[in-house]
Structures are given as C-alpha cells and as structure tokens.
Amino acid sequence: MNEPLADIGLAGLAISGILIGVALALSLVRRLGLEKDLIVAALRALVQLLVVGFALRIVVDDDDPLIFTWIWVVLMAVVAAWTVRRRAPEVPNVIPLSLSAFAAAAVVSLGVLFGLGVFEPTGRAIVPIAGMMIGNSMTATVVVARRIVAEANDHRDLIEARLSLGLSAQDAFAPHLREAVRTGLIPQIETTKTVGLIALPGAMTGLILAGVEPVDAVRVQVSVMYLVLGSVSATAAVMAIGLTRGLFTSDHRLAGRGSVSSPP
Amino acid sequence: MRQSVGVSDAGFELKGVRVEGSPRPRLDGVDLDIPAEGITVLAGASGSGKSTLLRLLNRLDVADAGSITWQGVPIQETDVLMHRREVGMVFQHPTVAPGTVLENFRIGAMDLDEETGADLCGLVDLDPSFLHRSASELSGGERQRVCLARTIATGPAVILADEPTSSLDPAATDAIEDLALRFVHPDSPMQISWIWVSHDPAQCRRLADRVVVLGEGRILATGNAVELAEHGDADVRRAVGGER
C-alpha cells in the first residue's frame, strides 16, 4: 500500500471549508438566498459524520466483538426502512416489507461476499459493505414500491378486466409487476454499464485516496458493484412478492373498493 | 318490446344481501332471483347499486351480509376463477390490454388458435383481419366488441354487462345490442344470457326480458318493462321510460 493520501488533518479540513465559502459567495452575489441552508448543511454534515465516525471506531475495531457491528447494520436497516416510508407514504405496510427486503438482500449479498470468503468478516468490511447494500436497496425499494402501487391504481380497470376473465391475481398483475420491477432495476444496470466512464465510483475513489493500487481498488469496486446489483434485485423481488400479496385478497380481488393506499 | 321469461333455479339467488357504504349502504337487504336465460336489465338512477350488484355476481366484490347462490350453490363455495369464467363480465369502458386483438383473446384462453380467434371475430361482427391489429388503436365500439369476444372466449353461460354501451356512439350501441339479442335468440347455436346494467330507459325496453329496478341500494320493483311502465312508484316508471 502507498502512503495514504486521505489523512488531511484538522488544517486540511478547515482549508476545504474554503469551498463552502465559495458557494456562500456565489449565493450572495447572485442573491440565491441559500446562505443559511449552505451553512446548516455544511455543519450538519460535519457533526453527523463526526458522531458516526466516533461510533464507527467501536464498530469497526477488530478487538471488539462483531455483535456491535451487526447491531449497527440492523440500525442502518431500520433507519432506511423509516426513510422508505417517508419517501413512499402511499405504500401499504412499507416498513415491514422494506425490512424483509433488506434482510433478503443481506442474506444474498453478504452471504456471498462473507460466506464464500471474498472479504474477511470483520467490522471494518461489514459496515461499509452493508451500508452500500442497504443504501442502494433503499433507493430501489422506494422506486419499485411506488411504481407497483401506481400501476395498481392507474391500471385498476385492466387488472379487474383480467380478473373477471378468470385470471389469478398473480397473472392479472404480472405485466404491471414486470414493468415496476424493471423500472427499479434499470437505473442500477445502466450505472453498472457506465461505471468508470463518467465518474469514478465511491469505493474505488476512497481506496485510491487511501493509497491502494488502482487495479486492486478496481477488484474491490467491481465486487461492490455486483453486490449492489444482487442486493437491488433481491430487494425488488421481495417488494414485488410482498406488495402484490397486500394488493389482492386471497379470493383474487383487488383489496379495497377505492384506490390502493396506506390506512389513514 | 321483448316478452318476459320466468324465474329459473339455474340462475342467481340473492337473499338479504348488504354492502356497506357511506353515507348509506350500497346495497341494503337485497332479495332477488335472476334467471340464467334471456336478458335481465338492472335499471335505476346513478348510485342505486346496479354496478355493485353486478360486481358481486362476478365476485369482484363481496357482500358484507346475506347470501348469493349460483345454480343453487353458494358462490363463495365455488372456485372463484372457474366462477368468473362461467359468469363473464364486460365493463362500461372497453379496456383492452396492450397488444393485438388475438393477444387480448388469449388473456382468458391461453391456447386459443388463430382459427378460433377468427371465429370469435365473426361472432362479434369483426373481420378476421382484426386479429393482428393493435387493440388499443381500434374505435370504442370495436374495442367493446373485442372485450365481448374476449369474454366469450372463456365459455360463459351468462355475461354481466355493466353499461357496456354508455361510452359508445348510437351506431356502436346498436351493434352491441344486436349481438346481445342474437345470443339469446332460440336459434342461436351459442346461448348466452345477460345481466345488463343500463340507465337508458329506451335501451331497457329494447333489450329486457325482465327488469329489476333499484333505488338507493334496494329493489324497487321487478317485472317486465310494460308492467313496470304503469308502476305506482315514479322512480320505477322513470327507469323504464313510462309516464312520469
């Protein structure tokens, strides 16, 4: 490993604050009225990350038991599930469904990466990898869940027409489900296709800044990209199955006599 | 005016059927026999419960109280998917799926071949060349005929028609009505009876063997249109176009 480039010290951190000054100056000159938001955002990022950084010292310390690491991962999943609910309030039962989806994604992706020995199961590896898994799964969950509910509401007539012809709920909704899941997966597939061409991905950038050889960083990055694709697919599949069950009754009717939404 | 037919045990029997709603029940204590022959028109003002009743018969909705039997068997005891194929439904707006007419026919009849598809086109007065046309590019009347043929493809004994002509022009309306009358004609090789929701008194008189008039979720009267035109209740007379 080369000399780490990432140890910027307090002075370096303070100097990087000049860039916030540039943004503030632009806001003032152009009368954008964003000065307060910029200052709050910059301070919040600093404080939040400092808190996370100190907490992570415990979580990623190789001398501490892994239980702290896994508690951290569960907390990340819970926060992500609440975030999904805030971003997709119209989706029924979204918190338990999101948690189930994250659990499935964790089993698939962490199971492969740690179970098959791609990475050592240490706190230092589990936390960032689980973070990337949950972060990307959360985005996919919001997109897929909102799309599924929108498809059920927008195409209620066609779905009922199919049901009235004797199709099961699963068959009647299949074309709409396919569309919703594709909507959730395509952005991630496109990102995977163009990775490195437009911008260097985060994990790779971090490793290079930390002094890792670029080719070594690529190996890690590619495994992370595969992790993300696998996680997003698992998440979308669980949301698709879980939400479809919630949208229909056991006797193959659309649930509710109005539109599909969360109870008030 | 068409002649009335008697009530048959082979049809639907509803007892004390209630569907909750707000501010009042959508259906409230409905007792009704509907024979599986001829054309029964469900008439009445908007919000009277006609469409709700029809959806119950296809099991797209369930009653909150009461019982419904079909051919003597409580409908909740039958296989719902089989029931829906036996008791088909055509909706107010002709909703076709993306794809060709043939692909639409295959929604409820997956193994349907082109020859049978062409026969279905013939049954609803569409040229067989329609089979490979995009269903969504057809006119409203043509789409409704595709929907009708799509339902016929599942082999129903009765078709529940929820104001199937209300979004169509007069010529397309005539065409759909003629098709319905053709399927109940004694000489028709394929006998399909109809339970037809209509708020058009003239259509009610043209089609109905038997009329059921609903008002505010209750049955106001049943009988043939001639008798009901003289009924004591003005809402009933209005539903069949009688004197006000």
Side-chain angles (χ1 to χ4, degrees), chain B residues 212-233:
Chain B
V212 177
V213 183
L214 288 102
E216 298 192 339
R218 293 171 175 273
I219 304 293
L220 298 182
T222 59
N224 71 42
V226 175
E227 293 163 3
L228 297 181
E230 307 294 326
H231 198 276
D233 185 333

Side-chain angles (χ1 to χ4, degrees), chain B residues 164-241:
Chain B
T165 60
S166 66
S167 62
L168 306 183
D169 61 37
T173 298
D174 286 347
I176 297 288
E177 287 183 9
D178 285 347
L179 286 171
L181 291 168
R182 201 182 302 165
F183 284 115
V184 295
H185 194 278
D187 296 338
S188 169
M190 183 182 284
Q191 288 289 322
I192 300 175
S193 61
W194 298 74
I195 302 173
W196 183 301
V197 167
S198 178
H199 65 262
D200 176 0
Q203 183 174 61
C204 180
R205 291 198 303 276
R206 285 194 299 270
L207 292 181
D209 291 302
R210 183 167 183 267
V211 183
V212 177
V213 183
L214 288 102
E216 298 192 339
R218 293 171 175 273
I219 304 293
L220 298 182
T222 59
N224 71 42
V226 175
E227 293 163 3
L228 297 181
E230 307 294 326
H231 198 276
D233 185 333
D235 287 341
V236 174
R237 293 199 302 276
R238 194 175 298 121
V240 295

Side-chain angles (χ1 to χ4, degrees), chain A residues 192-240:
Chain A
T192 308
K193 277 185 197 168
T194 57
V195 66
L197 298 179
I198 299 163
L200 291 180
M204 189 169 152
T205 307
L207 287 167
I208 292 172
L209 281 172
V212 172
E213 282 295 328
V215 176
D216 294 336
V218 164
R219 279 204 298 273
V220 174
Q221 181 62 50
V222 170
S223 68
V224 166
M225 297 299 295
Y226 294 168
L227 157 96
V228 169
L229 262 185
S231 313
V232 166
S233 303
T235 308
V238 172
M239 289 306 289

